[in-house]
Amino acid sequence: MTSGSDNNGNSNGGSKKRPLVAILSGAGISTDSGIPDYRGPNGVWRRDPEAEKLVTYAYYMSDPEIRRRSWLMRRDGPALRARPNAAHEAVVRLERAGVPVRVITQNVDGLHQLAGMPERKVLELHGTARAVQCTRCKERSSMEAALERVAAGDPDPACESCGGILKSATVMFGEGLDPAVLGEAVAVTKACDVFIAVGTSLQVHPAASLAGLAADHGARLVIVNAEPTPYDDRADELVREPIGTALPALLERIAAG
């Protein structure tokens, strides 16, 4: 890939292009923001296997009690109150330094965008918890408005347009990823020069397979994660230090060239 412009489309006078950096982020990047991970040693699914039913499409659609519990989980959970941490902010600094950056995230918390990453540079593989979607007519609305209805006494709010079942605009277990978003993520992965997998167990597919795809296409693969992953043997660099300090240091090195 060659380019005569920088990350913002400005002419760079023919200088050497900066590497395209793809960052695959998982739950571990948001734990410093108070959002627990799911598959780590103290992850949500390990502590409460029943909680997985609350985000499983078949259970959600067939059981009103599961839906009521799901709405309470959304209301009481930390995701909507969380703020970006040092790792999210480091990604934004890299992008603002003129390095071409694309974030591919498994997270639904929206913290990359809250930190300042442009929406168009963040691919949310698993959707967003900040919106709700009707399972029948597909209309979207804000999570905030839906939770206001829950607070007003509606434990399982229905779509106001068609009466269909509402769910968070996330990809639940049993649902497929948006093919357009996944396709763009694959294209970015194949084109990047550096692929950083941070805070992800690399066990959930198809997102996990992006790490191997990047290596197959010649990218430098860096894995930043406290626990071993299935792709460690493919990595050019493994980082086990805490993400809040390790990722900023890594991205500063990349920004410095």
Side-chain angles (χ1 to χ4, degrees):
M1 293 174 60
T2 58
S3 174
S5 61
D6 66 14
N7 195 34
N8 299 308
N10 301 315
S11 173
N12 60 21
S15 60
K16 183 179 179 181
K17 81 175 185 74
R18 308 196 77 171
L20 172 60
V21 178
I23 299 175
L24 174 65
S25 65
I29 199 173
S30 294
T31 54
D32 282 354
S33 294
I35 302 176
D37 67 7
Y38 297 97
R39 288 178 171 78
N42 297 305
V44 173
W45 307 147
R46 293 197 185 191
R47 288 187 288 105
D48 183 11
E50 283 291 303
E52 195 166 326
K53 290 183 178 180
L54 304 184
V55 290
T56 299
Y57 190 76
Y59 286 114
Y60 188 87
M61 294 299 292
S62 63
D63 189 341
E65 178 58 27
I66 289 289
R67 292 200 296 275
R68 287 190 284 269
R69 289 171 57 196
S70 294
W71 285 109
L72 295 178
M73 176 186 68
R74 294 165 189 144
R75 181 195 70 184
D76 299 335
L80 299 182
R81 296 187 296 273
R83 304 301 304 169
N85 61 53
H88 299 105
E89 292 163 356
V91 175
V92 175
R93 285 197 300 274
L94 182 68
E95 190 270 338
R96 291 179 178 172
V99 176
V101 180
R102 295 295 183 273
V103 173
I104 305 166
T105 186
Q106 296 172 272
N107 299 337
V108 298
D109 51 41
L111 293 183
H112 285 293
Q113 296 93 316
L114 282 179
M117 276 299 290
E119 291 274 353
R120 65 183 179 84
K121 295 185 178 182
V122 181
L123 297 171
E124 295 177 307
L125 290 177
H126 297 157
T128 176
R130 297 182 179 273
V132 297
Q133 182 170 337
C134 176
T135 57
R136 181 188 297 164
C137 72
K138 307 306 179 185
E139 181 176 277
R140 281 200 177 202
S141 53
S142 75
M143 177 62 74
E144 183 180 10
L147 290 178
E148 286 175 357
R149 294 170 63 190
V150 173
D154 187 349
D156 182 17
C159 175
E160 294 183 307
S161 294
C162 75
I165 293 173
L166 288 182
K167 64 180 283 292
S168 60
T170 57
V171 179
M172 289 184 164
F173 291 117
E175 290 189 287
L177 273 59
D178 183 325
V181 175
L182 179 59
E184 191 170 350
V186 167
V188 168
T189 299
K190 289 180 177 180
C192 73
D193 302 288
V194 180
F195 188 96
I196 302 171
V198 54
T200 171
S201 63
L202 294 177
Q203 294 179 22
V204 179
H205 292 273
S209 63
L210 296 175
L213 184 65
D216 289 343
H217 282 76
R220 178 175 177 80
L221 176 60
V222 183
I223 296 176
V224 185
N225 200 57
E227 302 294 319
T229 81
Y231 290 87
D232 286 0
D233 62 344
R234 304 290 309 277
D236 296 285
E237 183 175 353
L238 292 173
V239 181
R240 299 291 190 220
E241 286 77 19
I243 292 170
T245 52
L247 187 65
L250 172 64
L251 299 186
E252 285 175 12
R253 279 167 37 204
I254 292 174

